[in-house]
Every structure is written in structure tokens, then in C-alpha cells.
Amino acid sequence: MHTLTPQTDLATDVDDVARLLNEDGERVADPELDRWVADVDAEALRSLYRDMTLVRRIDTEGIALQRQGQLGLWAPCQGQEGVQVGTARAFRRDDFVFPSYREIGVQFVRGAKPADFVIAWRGEEHSTYNPYDINTATPQIIIGAQSLHAVGYAMGIQRDGTDQVAAAYFGDGASSQGDVNEAMVFASSFRAPVVFVCTNNQWAISEPVTVQAKFPIAGRAPGFGIPSLRIDGNDVLASLAAMRWATDHARSGKGPAFIEAVTYRMGPHTTSDDPTRYRDKEEVERWRRRDPIARVEALLRSQNEFGDDFQADVAADADRLGAAVRGAALGAVSRQPIGVFDHVYEEPHTGLAEQREHFAAYLAGFEPNAEAGR
Amino acid sequence: MTQLTMAKAINEGLRRAMADDDKVLVMGEDIGKLGGVFRITDGLLDEFGAKRVVDTPLAEAGIMGTAVGLAFRGYRPVVEIQFDGFVYPAFDQIVCQVAKLHYRTRGNVKMPITIRIPWAGGVGAAEHHSESPEAYFVHTSGLRVVAVSNPQDAYVMLRQAIASDDPVVFFEPKRLYHSKGEVDLGADLADAPPMGLARIAREGNDVTLLTYGAQVATAMDAATAAEDDGISIEVIDLRSISPVDYRTVTASVRKTGRVVVTHEAAREAGVGAELIASITEKCFHYLEAAPVRVTGHDIPYPPAKLEKHHLPDLDRILDGVDRVLDRPNSLSGVVDQ
Ligand SMILES: Cc1ncc(C[n+]2csc(CCOP(=O)(O)OP(=O)(O)O)c2C)c(N)n1
């Protein structure tokens, strides 16, 4: 018999992962990953720490702003800073990234500005930044759709003959979607220079990963002909190393690569969610001990590389960024009502033009002196 | 001018668009060596190579979603959906991504994607091969939706669709693929009537008959037949069903005062319903009779042997004409029409 059978049920084994920093922040060796971070010295580690801390601050600020009624919704990323910052740091500026709504850290590393994190959740715009300014697509809400966009973009890179890569981020829930699976078929069949990052944070709203998978999600990619790595997503160093491997693989013409980052969403799915209904405190506590930021801090401290000055400096940075994010939300100015008609089409559409004209006439009735003008 | 089938005209349109702009690429199932199941892409692989004529995996969402990514990268993908009934798996990517990305990004990301759909019935096909899904797309802001009725329009409008920076759903009546007509292959896009403009296919004074796609030919036959009864029908080929050229439509309705709309698609919430609602808003005081729809029934597309009872034919159109003219008709005496 020529059967390919999964040997064990590993989907829930969160320790069957590649890592470079253990829970206590001790550097452990990994024969595959080590070489990709040989250059990462204390200075580089500190900068990873800084980015993760800043991302956590954006997240804290976002939740607070939502609670205060300033944002309609917020999708927290606490606990996922390691995978987000670590993987995003591996890209070149001219690579193109397609994130989901939770990739705050990816957007931050790509160069998003304070307002970019809050204006969409506030409901002022669907998207704030111009995707081409930071080579990062507008965060995707349709689960898994962006995985195909990344593959298509990568097919474009191929046709242009450049050595950029495209990347898509999606969750464990998304791995069940047809789009994600179709994306892997396309990527593999065309050897597209694309990297898939499945952020397995254990939950898709209230559904545990076991509803989506009975075998590690990284195990699927080889079935499509795509090499994959399953890493500890709370290990920023492993995340950076894995992504350097993956982008190098794609960049050098070997086709797509896949990373499953095993991590945990510490907060609710969004601010509308009530995780106490479906998960227990012990689980959350277990993951709290794996905090990606604390790990790096512990490593740096063990090397006498985490000084008070540095800590104070990062804290001040975080305060400044938090204030800027808050200021962007509080200072947001809604567009004029007629603006809802903007950019539906690139070229004039007579039907919409008429509707716009009628709405403009209606709005004009509210203007001062409208009566007198009649 | 050259005599060409519509299939060949579309083929020539693709060839010309690809030759004019190397960012144009075609993608779909079987479109390479086979030339597509209707041979519309015949010869393109040899001429432009596999980088621009892409035989894709069998995955409609995949085709559409990767086209989105290619558009992100500055390409102008022309996607072939093998048959009308197979566009549904791609629906999410079309309505949520293709149609909305330009809006979501405030115009920063363009989606110049053309979605070609061999469309509608009358060819005795198997299940899921004769659907008329146009209303779904007309209802989606951000898309342009056109339907061609002759080889010349097919050639020119396809090139216009590809050149447009907006996404265009391009319906090709497969019933007409083998019908011939004059095509000006040298046509310059700059001189062509805009894609959104309707065409008065036949002038008349008593009734305005609105339609698009393969139904235009049936409507023309109905108009010729009506002439024997002394009824003068103005037939309008809408060509574009989003946007609709209401300037042409209302001018005609104001002249005739009577409207019949005919399409193959089901009636409920169909394009006919939209047309009549808009005409009623715009021309209420000119109407001499309640407008009438002559459409496919509100049923799943029937088996091939029964499709002739579903497709509005010449007699059903004339019956509709009789209704707006208050002449004896199939519903005479039926209360609660
Ligand atoms: C196509 C689609 N179906 C359902 C939803 C509603 N929804 C939003 S997030 C979510 C869970 C996604 O889980 P996962 O992919 O694991 O990502 P995570 O939010 O955990 O990062 C669902 C069901 C959606 N946005 N899109």
C-alpha cells in the first residue's frame, strides 16, 4: 500500500515547534534556524524588543479608545507581537505584504503611521495609507481572500523578472477557507515567489484550532508541494529566522514557502467578543508565561544588555506613540457626506453620477441660506 | 470591414489588446493549447507565450483572486470564466475584492480586470451552462457590466473593457458565438462610441423594446413581425447594463410612451425590474401604459429540451407588445394581472 498517513495527532502540541528562545528567554540551538540569525547581536535584539513594545502600546491604546467609544471595533494582537515583528523584519522594503486585520505589528514594521491604525476602525475610511507607499495592502477582513492576492502579485513579480517576494498573513481559521487552499495550488503550480504565514493563535473567534485541523497546519503545505516550517510564534528570533529562510527560498526562484507560527491571542478576538464563554483562565495563564516580549527582555538581561536607560527610552517612545495614536483618533475629521461617492469608479459612471448629483442637491438644502436662495 | 463570427471577433479583440499593451494577460481554464472550450483564445498562446496566456488550475476563486493580485502589481488581467454557471465560486472575490478595492483604497489601487463570461442559454447545454447571472453584478457597485450582441461591438467593446481602469464584467452570448457580422478590425478606440452608450438597433414610434445580448436578435425579429400588424417598434440594444444609458432610453420612451423589456434572466429583481423602475421615475408622465417585462421564468434554468419554453421568443415578446398597446393578449380578461 502506498499510503501517506499522519502518524499522530499533533495539532494541539504547541511545543512541537522550532524555536531559538525558550520560555525563560534562554537561547537554544536549532540546526535549521541558527544560521539565519547569526548576525543578530544585542543591538538588533534590543530593536526587536523596542518594536514589539511599541506594537503592544498601539494595541493597548486601540482597546482603550474602543472602550471609550472612539473606535467602533478593535482586533487586539497582544501575544502575537513576536511573530508579527519578527517575520515582518525579514522583508525588504520593495517586497509586498498582504495582511489580515490583526497584523498591527506587520503594518508597524512596514511603516504605517499612527493614524493608520485607528482611522479605519473608527469608521472614517476603509483604509488609510496608500498601499504602494509602504508596499502593504489594506488589511483584509474577508477571511483568507488576501492569500490569493499575494499569489497573484507574486505571479506579477515573476513576469517582471524582479527578485521581490509577496507575502500573505492569515489565521488558523482561514486555513480552512477555499481561497487559502487555492492560493497554495496556484503558488505551487506556478512556483510563485510568495510566502504564506499562518498565524495559529489557537482560536478563530470561539472555535478552537481543532475544528480547523487535526494535524499541524504546517503539515498541509508539503501536500501542495510547498516546504513549510512550524515555529514558536512567541519567539521573535525564530520568527525572524524562519521568515529569512522563507523569503530567501522564494527570492531565489525556488517557489513558495509556508510558515505556521504557533502563538496565542491573549485578548478577545475583537472588542465585541467575550472569550470567557469559551476558554478557561488556566489556558490564558499558561500562555502569559510565554510572553514574546518578556522572553527577549530575559535574554538581554542575562547578557547584561538590558539597561535602565534603554528601558526608560523605550517606555518614552511608547508613550509618544500611544499619544500619537490617541491624537489621531481624537483629531479625526470625518469626510464630507458627498465623499461617499468618491472612487467607486475610476471613470465616470452615469448612473452613479446622477445619484451623486441628486444627493448633492438634497444636501444643499441643509446649507445656511438655502431657503433664501430658493 | 471583414465578415467575422462573434467568436473570432472576440479573439481578434484579445489579440489586439495584448499586442497594444504588454500588461494585458489572459487567464482561465483550458485557454492555452485548447484555445478555450469555445476556442476564443485560439492561437494566443503561440503568439504571446505562457506568461501572458495562463492556463490556470481549476479554481474560479483562485483565478479571480490571483487576477486581483496581478492588478495590484499593475497588470490588466482578462479572466475567462469557462461558463456562466461557474462564476459563482468566484463571486466573493468579484464583489468583495474586484469591485471594492478601488473604493477601499480611495483610488490608490486600480482593478482593471475584465471578466469574460460565455453567457446565457439557447444552445442546448447541460445544467449550469446556461445561466444569466447579470443582475448579481449590476447590483454590485464598482463593477461595469456589459453584454454584446454583434461581432463589431464584441470586438470594440472588449478592447474598451480591457482598456478601462474599472473592472468590467463582459457577457458574451454563446448563442451568438457563431453568428457573423461586419467587423472593422482597424477601428480606433478613440472613434468608437463609448462602452456605456446604448444603440438604437431599429427605430420605431409605438413601443420601446429594451434588451441586450442575444435577445437583441429576437427583439429585432419581433419588430419585423409587428410591422405586418402596423406596429412600429423601436428596439434598443442597451450594450451596457451598468451604467444604463438612460439618455437614449428616456428619449425613446418619451417618443413612444410604451415600454417592453425583454431578457433571458429571471424576472424577480432582475435588470428589467430596475429598468422599469428607473423609467417610471424618469418618464412617468409620458407613459401611456404600464411597462411590461418579458423574461425568463423565475425557475432554475430548465433542461435543454424545455429551454425553448423558458427563453422569451418572438411570440412572447409580441404578446408583451400587445399588452402595452392594450390589444388582445394572453392576459386579457385575467384579473389581477
Ligand atoms: C469569509 C469570512 N467569514 C467569516 C468572517 C467572520 N470572522 C471574522 S474573524 C473570524 C475568525 C478568523 O479566525 P482566524 O483565521 O484564526 O484569524 P484570527 O482572527 O484568529 O487572527 C471570523 C469567523 C469573515 N470576516 N470572513
Side-chain angles (χ1 to χ4, degrees), chain A residues 80 100-103 141-144 170-175 177 199-205 212 265 269-270, chain B residues 92:
Chain A
Q80 301 184 203
S100 88
Y101 47 83
R102 205 184 297 288
E103 266 77 50
I141 288 191
I142 298 290
I143 298 300
F170 50 85
D172 44 297
S175 72
Q177 286 279 359
T199 299
N200 175 0
N201 64 11
Q202 312 303 317
W203 293 93
I205 311 189
Q212 327 288 341
R265 179 242 298 155
H269 166 72
T270 65
Chain B
D92 164 60

Side-chain angles (χ1 to χ4, degrees), chain B residues 5-247:
Chain B
T5 61
M6 182 184 282
K8 185 66 181 158
I10 297 170
N11 175 271
E12 289 295 342
L14 286 171
R15 177 170 286 112
R16 176 74 181 270
M18 293 181 81
D20 284 354
D21 182 351
D22 60 13
K23 289 292 181 196
V24 176
L25 49 82
V26 298
M27 49 198 294
E29 297 162 7
D30 302 301
I31 65 161
K33 280 197 175 145
L34 182 67
V37 289
F38 292 102
R39 312 292 183 264
I40 303 296
T41 52
D42 200 23
L44 298 181
L45 177 65
D46 284 345
E47 200 169 330
F48 298 103
K51 272 196 168 171
R52 296 185 62 199
V53 181
V54 187
D55 261 330
T56 63
L58 277 165
E60 283 73 16
I63 298 169
M64 203 60 66
T66 50
V68 168
L70 280 157
F72 246 106
R73 179 79 190 178
Y75 283 83
R76 309 183 82 83
V78 184
V79 165
E80 175 170 310
I81 297 294
Q82 199 154 59
F83 275 91
D84 37 48
F86 309 147
V87 73
Y88 305 119
F91 195 65
D92 164 60
Q93 285 287 345
I94 298 175
V95 303
C96 294
Q97 311 295 335
V98 174
K100 295 194 173 83
L101 262 159
H102 188 258
Y103 190 68
R104 286 172 66 207
T105 61
R106 302 208 61 198
N108 286 312
V109 178
K110 294 187 186 20
M111 284 289 123
I113 299 176
T114 302
I115 305 168
R116 292 183 38 240
I117 308 184
W119 164 66
V123 295
E127 213 182 346
H128 309 298
H129 289 68
S130 301
E131 310 261 308
S132 295
E134 59 267 28
Y136 299 119
F137 301 110
V138 170
H139 194 65
T140 301
S141 308
L143 301 175
R144 289 172 189 278
V145 184
V146 303
V148 292
S149 68
N150 59 74
Q152 171 70 20
D153 275 357
Y155 175 70
V156 174
M157 286 169 64
L158 179 63
R159 288 173 53 210
Q160 288 172 323
I162 296 171
S164 169
D165 275 338
D166 285 319
V168 181
V169 182
F170 192 87
F171 284 109
E172 303 169 1
K174 51 180 108 71
R175 192 169 5 144
L176 299 184
Y177 270 150
H178 299 296
S179 71
K180 284 195 170 178
E182 295 281 330
V183 179
D184 176 9
L185 288 176
D188 196 335
L189 286 193
D191 305 330
M195 195 168 57
L197 225 56
R199 177 176 69 94
I200 298 179
R202 179 189 172 113
E203 293 197 16
N205 297 312
D206 299 331
V207 176
T208 297
L209 180 55
L210 298 175
T211 191
Y212 50 90
Q215 250 343 70
V216 172
T218 318
M220 293 295 276
D221 290 346
T224 306
E227 215 175 6
D228 293 344
D229 278 347
I231 302 167
S232 161
I233 296 180
E234 180 143 301
V235 178
I236 297 184
D237 174 4
L238 291 174
R239 297 165 83 250
S240 169
I241 44 184
S242 180
V244 167
D245 171 14
Y246 279 110
R247 198 179 281 256

Side-chain angles (χ1 to χ4, degrees), chain A residues 13-35:
Chain A
D13 183 353
V14 298
D15 283 317
D16 183 33
V17 289
R19 60 166 61 108
L20 294 172
L21 283 182
N22 69 14
E23 270 182 58
D24 300 324
E26 291 159 355
R27 181 72 168 79
V28 291
D30 182 289
E32 278 181 69
L33 295 183
D34 277 337
R35 70 189 181 96

Side-chain angles (χ1 to χ4, degrees), chain A residues 75-87:
Chain A
C77 73
Q78 195 198 333
Q80 301 184 203
E81 298 90 345
V83 52
Q84 296 189 355
V85 169
T87 54

Side-chain angles (χ1 to χ4, degrees), chain B residues 301-320:
Chain B
Y301 199 84
K305 293 291 184 207
L306 296 171
E307 68 178 342
K308 61 177 178 294
H309 303 294
H310 176 70
L311 299 174
D313 61 6
L314 177 149
D315 288 326
R316 275 176 59 202
I317 293 174
L318 290 178
D319 187 56

Side-chain angles (χ1 to χ4, degrees), chain A residues 79-259:
Chain A
Q80 301 184 203
E81 298 90 345
V83 52
Q84 296 189 355
V85 169
T87 54
R89 282 288 203 91
F91 297 119
R92 277 191 341 216
R93 276 207 72 77
D94 63 340
D95 293 335
F96 206 99
V97 180
F98 292 81
S100 88
Y101 47 83
R102 205 184 297 288
E103 266 77 50
I104 299 163
V106 175
Q107 291 182 67
F108 176 76
V109 172
R110 299 297 286 162
K113 305 249 166 19
D116 296 335
F117 300 101
V118 284
I119 294 302
W121 289 125
R122 192 179 157 87
E124 305 287 3
E125 310 262 4
H126 290 320
S127 154
T128 41
Y129 55 83
N130 176 346
Y132 297 112
D133 285 347
I134 58 173
N135 286 332
T136 304
T138 300
Q140 181 61 246
I141 288 191
I142 298 290
I143 298 300
Q146 72 279 17
S147 54
L148 283 165
H149 306 168
V151 176
Y153 192 95
M155 289 165 68
I157 293 174
Q158 244 172 354
R159 278 157 182 73
D160 295 343
T162 61
D163 71 343
Q164 293 148 276
V165 303
Y169 285 82
F170 50 85
D172 44 297
S175 72
S176 297
Q177 286 279 359
D179 279 8
V180 170
N181 289 275
E182 292 184 27
M184 286 198 272
V185 174
F186 272 71
S188 173
S189 299
F190 294 125
R191 274 174 94 90
V194 63
V195 178
F196 300 109
V197 184
C198 177
T199 299
N200 175 0
N201 64 11
Q202 312 303 317
W203 293 93
I205 311 189
S206 70
E207 298 190 356
V209 64
T210 47
V211 174
Q212 327 288 341
K214 289 294 175 218
F215 193 69
I217 296 167
R220 291 186 200 174
F224 289 98
I226 302 174
S228 73
L229 263 175
R230 188 171 201 245
I231 60 158
D232 183 340
N234 286 24
D235 174 351
V236 70
L237 213 49
S239 300
L240 174 64
M243 196 53 140
R244 282 180 171 177
W245 160 77
T247 51
D248 179 74
H249 179 89
R251 215 183 291 292
S252 56
K254 298 194 197 100
F258 188 104
I259 295 169

Side-chain angles (χ1 to χ4, degrees), chain B residues 206 253-259 283-291 323-326:
Chain B
D206 299 331
V253 174
R254 285 179 181 152
K255 176 172 70 176
T256 63
R258 293 182 163 84
V259 185
C283 309
F284 185 73
H285 294 292
Y286 294 85
L287 289 173
E288 311 263 357
R323 281 168 65 193
V324 290
L325 286 168
D326 208 17

